[in-house]
Amino acid sequence: MRRKPILPRVWHFASFGAPGVVIYLCFVMAPILISFGYSLTNHNPFNPPSEFVGLENYKLLFQDEQFLTALRVTTILTVIVVVVPNLLGLGVAVLLDRKGWLYHALRSVFFTPVILSSVVVSIIWTKLLDDRGPVNDLLRAVGVEQPPGWLSDPDLALFSVASIVCWQMLGFCVVVYLAGLQGVPAELLEAAEIDGAGPVRRFRAVTWPLLAPSLTINTVVLLISAFKTYDYVKVVTNGGPGSGTTATIAFDVLATGLDANHVGYASAMAVVMLVIVATLTTIVLRFLRRREVDL
Amino acid sequence: MRRSFAWGAALLIAASLTGCTVGGGTSTSGGEISFLTFETPNLPPFYWDSAIKRVTDRNPGLSVKKLVAPSTDRTGYAKQLLQSGQFPDVAIAVDSAGFAESGNLYAWTPEELKDFQFPAANPIKGGHHQLPANTQTIPPIYYNKKLFADAGITSAPATWGELLAASEKLKAKGITPFTIGGGKEGFPSAMLLDGLVSVEVYGKTPDWLSQRRADKVKFTDPAFQQAFGKFADLVAKGYLDKTQVSRDYSATEAAFLNGEGAMYPMGNWFAASADAKKPSFDIGVFNFPSEDGKLVVPAYTGGGIVVNAKSPKLDAARKFALAFQLDKEQIDASVKADGLFPAIKGYTPPSDAGPVFKAGYELYKEAVAKNAVVNAFSWETADDGLLPGMKDKVYQAAQDVITGRKPVADACAFLDAEWAKAR
């Protein structure tokens, strides 16, 4: 039997894979490697030449109170953004998992914020949450004499920013859970009903395990989005009020790199952030994948 | 043959794409120069388009491609353009620090600066890289004459004591004495602090920030802490509303023009809005008062055009910059649109400039005549300016004191710590 020559086969696969590989190398791997390279220097674009400083930037980073504060802020924000849209999204998806024009319309309503620019969303919410904005006007109208300073109170501002992110991400979670719900076989639910399971039992025993892939997708997407939150913070609070109240690591990276011109140090921050996100994502993925069941 | 042709075409496309995006330097074509501008409520697209057209109409060889910074942070945007090899030929109101030291900005000759009133403003390593086109006083205090009258205040405060007394009267009437802001811009929360440091610290030690750069003084030194302490005193007495630190710049301005708050410490560019928007009350203006009433007026001269030293169209860029900044019609337009005080020899503002502008301009002229002008703290941009990245730290320190998160000593220590990191 005559074997097919190897070269055309290799060429066949390479021609399929090459564009993706090239794009990935150029736009993902190369920036990461360049950033890592910068992180080992004291690179300042306005003060060349840069010198190799080894791990000095990393050593300084973990003694830098501002970076540690940014890490704390980012962690709190991430926990809120991963938990709240997931929970609310599941609840809304269950409510909207019905047929009829009203439910279709409501799905669009919930999804609309996702397609808006985060900057536009931030501007809208800045106006709404202003001390003299509609939210506080409403509170005053119902008798609250001193409504909260949503964006000016250092104890509240981070939660306000987190709420804005949650509001925008809710629609995404709803859509993913709705897709998951529609993949749950009706016969399994009917069988459970015939066996005498009530709605809560049916959800817990049948629907919820089958929604595991949706939970995985939502959790990972939210985790990554929350960790790289920059635009909301930049537009809504500019990292304030005051020092270290809403400044995330991503915000700090840009401020240190672009405003203070310390590109080497900012690159070290970015590398640490990448390592944290990659580690967390891997752990979460491994944990959640174990829950997933095949039909 | 066909395959060779395809490979050749692919290589050409790849090469042309790479050439467009990497290290391309200025991206203008033909005789066109690129001009980085920015837009604000005072300076809408129409202002820039008209200004460019005026200059190009009078200089037929010039052709200009307008670029617009995506936010008011045009310096940050200029850095991005520089890093990506797209630094424009000409840019306006970009902080020249950093760009100048690294050799990216053209240094103007004394001959080219002969028509400017303060040709020696903002030296960086001995060179003058930004046309010293305008002066801004930062901050005078604008006030609502009706609210002052309602509180029984008959004259504008001239000393710190009189300012406190006026604030107390206003507060007793249920009027918020000062309108402040913050939000995404940050600077409206630090205007009072800027005024206090300029008047109290620079008034006695004009080169204080140069000394800070030389580590001869610190933010935690008594002189600076005392000025910051006066700011904290205003907060403690309830003359500022801490909830206002979330308000962005345009909302802050709107609040004052709507009659919320009696006094508004802001740069003199506010005069243009005040005159254009004509609120329901008269607006007065007074210089930021010192402890004993000694006249000290913080101001910044600069903000004009910078030229890319590596521009392939350097001559055209320089010609455009000078034509733009010295054109009488354009200067008049900038006075009306942005309330700037042109720093051009022999220039007089148009007679139909608004009353708030005229009042502020008279105060400034008096300060120049009496040699009472000092740098405006946190607005300097030259060798005696804050280190890169420190402006935001000043705004944060001010907000920490306003919101009660930090006492003055901690806020000053924070500034020293950030200064050490910014080096």
Side-chain angles (χ1 to χ4, degrees):
Chain A
M1 190 175 125
R2 205 175 141 220
R3 290 187 66 190
K4 271 175 112 179
I6 289 176
L7 203 59
R9 277 195 291 158
V10 171
W11 170 245
H12 178 75
F13 286 112
S15 62
F16 267 109
V21 171
V22 169
I23 289 170
Y24 186 77
L25 288 176
C26 286
F27 295 106
V28 180
M29 290 315 292
I32 289 173
L33 290 175
I34 291 169
S35 194
F36 181 68
Y38 276 142
S39 76
L40 304 175
T41 70
N42 62 357
H43 181 62
N44 178 337
F46 292 135
N47 193 17
S50 41
E51 291 164 12
F52 179 78
V53 296
L55 297 175
E56 189 62 24
N57 285 331
Y58 292 92
K59 236 180 354 183
L60 288 175
L61 210 52
F62 290 99
Q63 297 159 6
D64 182 348
E65 200 182 317
Q66 190 176 322
F67 176 73
L68 297 175
T69 307
L71 191 59
R72 184 183 62 84
V73 165
T74 310
T75 307
I76 296 171
L77 185 95
T78 304
V79 170
I80 297 170
V81 170
V82 168
V83 172
V84 175
N86 247 324
L87 280 177
L88 290 180
L90 179 63
V92 173
V94 169
L95 289 175
L96 295 185
D97 185 29
R98 287 146 224 257
K99 291 197 172 107
W101 66 268
L102 179 64
Y103 298 105
H104 286 293
L106 284 175
R107 285 176 202 176
S108 304
V109 169
F110 275 97
F111 192 68
T112 303
V114 182
I115 56 171
L116 292 176
S117 142
S118 53
V119 173
V120 171
V121 166
S122 301
I123 291 170
I124 292 170
W125 277 99
T126 307
K127 303 284 179 205
L128 289 173
L129 296 178
D130 185 86
D131 187 53
R132 298 278 164 194
V135 172
N136 277 0
D137 281 350
L138 189 70
L139 289 174
R140 285 190 192 94
V142 296
V144 180
E145 280 186 14
Q146 280 204 314
W150 301 105
L151 302 175
S152 59
D153 183 339
D155 297 328
L156 260 184
L158 177 59
F159 298 99
S160 301
V161 173
S163 305
I164 297 169
V165 185
C166 291
W167 180 80
Q168 186 161 33
M169 294 309 289
L170 176 64
F172 175 81
C173 291
V174 170
V175 167
V176 173
Y177 279 125
L178 266 172
L181 285 169
Q182 282 160 17
V184 176
E187 55 269 30
L188 282 183
L189 292 168
E190 280 165 19
E193 194 174 0
I194 291 165
D195 288 345
V200 175
R201 183 78 193 272
R202 282 204 299 276
F203 181 81
R204 198 160 54 83
V206 180
T207 309
W208 179 236
L210 292 174
L211 282 180
S214 307
L215 177 67
T216 307
I217 293 168
N218 281 339
T219 304
V220 171
V221 169
L222 291 172
L223 180 73
I224 295 169
S225 316
F227 235 91
K228 59 187 182 116
T229 301
Y230 167 77
D231 33 13
Y232 302 95
V233 175
K234 181 70 187 168
V235 176
V236 177
T237 60
N238 199 23
S243 54
T245 49
T246 58
T248 56
I249 299 177
F251 181 85
D252 241 13
V253 168
L254 270 289
T256 308
L258 274 183
D259 297 341
N261 307 327
H262 291 161
V263 174
Y265 192 63
S267 300
M269 285 184 187
V271 170
V272 170
M273 188 171 103
L274 176 75
V275 170
I276 295 172
V277 173
T279 310
L280 281 178
T281 308
T282 309
I283 295 169
V284 168
L285 265 177
R286 287 187 77 123
F287 176 74
L288 292 178
R289 277 271 165 84
R290 243 183 265 156
R291 288 189 62 251
E292 292 180 12
V293 288
D294 289 324
L295 282 175
Chain B
M1 177 69 188
R2 192 178 289 171
R3 185 176 289 179
S4 308
F5 178 76
W7 272 108
L11 280 172
L12 269 176
I13 292 167
S16 62
L17 282 173
T18 316
C20 285
T21 52
V22 181
T26 47
S27 57
T28 50
S29 59
E32 196 178 52
I33 57 167
S34 54
F35 177 29
L36 177 62
T37 63
F38 61 100
E39 288 167 4
T40 67
N42 282 5
L43 306 174
F46 172 74
Y47 168 86
W48 295 108
D49 293 340
S50 312
I52 292 168
K53 187 170 183 310
R54 260 195 300 274
V55 176
T56 49
D57 282 354
R58 287 179 187 166
N59 296 274
L62 287 174
S63 166
V64 175
K65 178 186 175 187
K66 183 183 78 168
L67 307 175
V68 182
S71 72
T72 50
D73 180 17
R74 55 260 179 187
T75 303
Y77 186 59
K79 285 180 188 175
Q80 289 180 39
L81 294 177
L82 179 69
Q83 287 299 296
S84 55
Q86 303 170 81
F87 196 50
D89 300 303
V90 179
I92 193 163
V94 165
D95 187 342
S96 50
F99 296 99
E101 292 93 324
S102 54
N104 286 295
L105 297 185
Y106 171 74
W108 298 96
T109 64
E111 173 60 21
E112 285 169 321
L113 295 174
K114 67 179 172 21
D115 294 319
F116 294 88
Q117 205 177 351
F118 304 105
N122 301 320
I124 295 180
K125 291 188 172 171
H128 297 90
H129 304 83
Q130 185 166 38
L131 289 175
N134 304 289
T135 300
Q136 294 160 320
T137 49
I138 314 172
I141 297 180
Y142 295 90
Y143 67 100
N144 180 325
K145 288 186 176 177
K146 183 183 175 303
L147 291 181
F148 263 44
D150 290 350
I153 305 163
T154 51
S155 62
T159 65
W160 186 250
E162 286 175 17
L163 184 75
L164 292 181
S167 302
E168 193 52 44
K169 282 183 182 173
L170 290 161
K171 191 184 165 204
K173 278 274 179 185
I175 300 163
T176 306
F178 292 99
T179 302
I180 60 159
K184 64 178 181 285
E185 282 94 2
F187 72 86
S189 54
M191 277 295 186
L192 282 165
L193 178 65
D194 290 346
L196 275 160
V197 173
S198 305
V199 170
E200 296 295 316
V201 181
Y202 294 179
K204 290 169 191 138
T205 316
D207 66 339
W208 191 89
L209 209 42
S210 297
Q211 292 192 31
R212 183 65 192 86
R213 282 196 166 216
D215 279 333
K216 290 180 185 164
V217 294
K218 287 190 164 189
F219 292 106
T220 40
D221 286 353
F224 191 89
Q225 281 214 46
Q226 200 176 358
F228 211 144
K230 283 186 168 181
F231 177 66
D233 194 34
L234 295 178
V235 177
K237 289 188 159 96
Y239 299 157
L240 317 179
D241 178 355
K242 67 179 181 182
T243 64
Q244 294 178 357
V245 295
S246 64
R247 210 158 49 185
D248 66 18
Y249 170 53
S250 58
T252 308
E253 182 180 288
F256 178 70
L257 291 171
N258 287 338
E260 299 169 32
M263 289 181 274
Y264 183 42
M266 186 45 62
N268 69 286
W269 56 83
F270 167 68
S273 288
D275 285 327
K277 289 173 185 164
K278 298 184 177 61
S280 59
F281 52 87
D282 287 336
I283 294 176
V285 58
F286 57 91
N287 281 321
F288 204 96
S290 60
E291 182 67 40
D292 55 4
K294 181 189 164 200
L295 184 66
V296 180
V297 175
Y300 168 71
T301 297
I305 286 181
V306 292
V307 165
N308 179 354
K310 295 167 185 168
S311 165
K313 292 146 197 157
L314 185 60
D315 287 343
R318 284 161 47 206
K319 186 178 175 188
F320 172 77
L322 287 169
F324 187 96
Q325 302 274 222
L326 296 171
D327 179 80
K328 169 80 168 89
E329 211 179 323
Q330 167 52 24
I331 304 171
D332 287 351
S334 75
V335 165
K336 288 178 185 167
D338 214 22
L340 302 172
F341 299 158
I344 310 295
K345 282 179 188 165
Y347 176 81
T348 47
S351 56
D352 60 343
V356 182
F357 173 87
K358 283 179 177 167
Y361 194 56
E362 287 306 314
L363 289 175
Y364 169 65
K365 279 203 305 187
E366 184 196 354
V368 173
K370 291 182 176 171
N371 200 20
V373 177
V374 295
N375 276 351
F377 174 62
S378 92
W379 295 85
E380 314 98 320
T381 55
D383 285 339
D384 57 356
L386 288 169
L387 292 175
M390 280 299 295
K391 277 186 186 182
D392 278 337
K393 306 302 172 190
V394 170
Y395 308 153
Q396 288 174 5
Q399 290 181 0
D400 277 339
V401 169
I402 295 170
T403 56
R405 285 184 79 225
K406 281 183 184 158
V408 168
D410 288 0
C412 293
F414 166 76
L415 289 177
D416 276 329
E418 292 300 323
W419 184 274
K421 274 166 56 185
R423 277 204 182 280

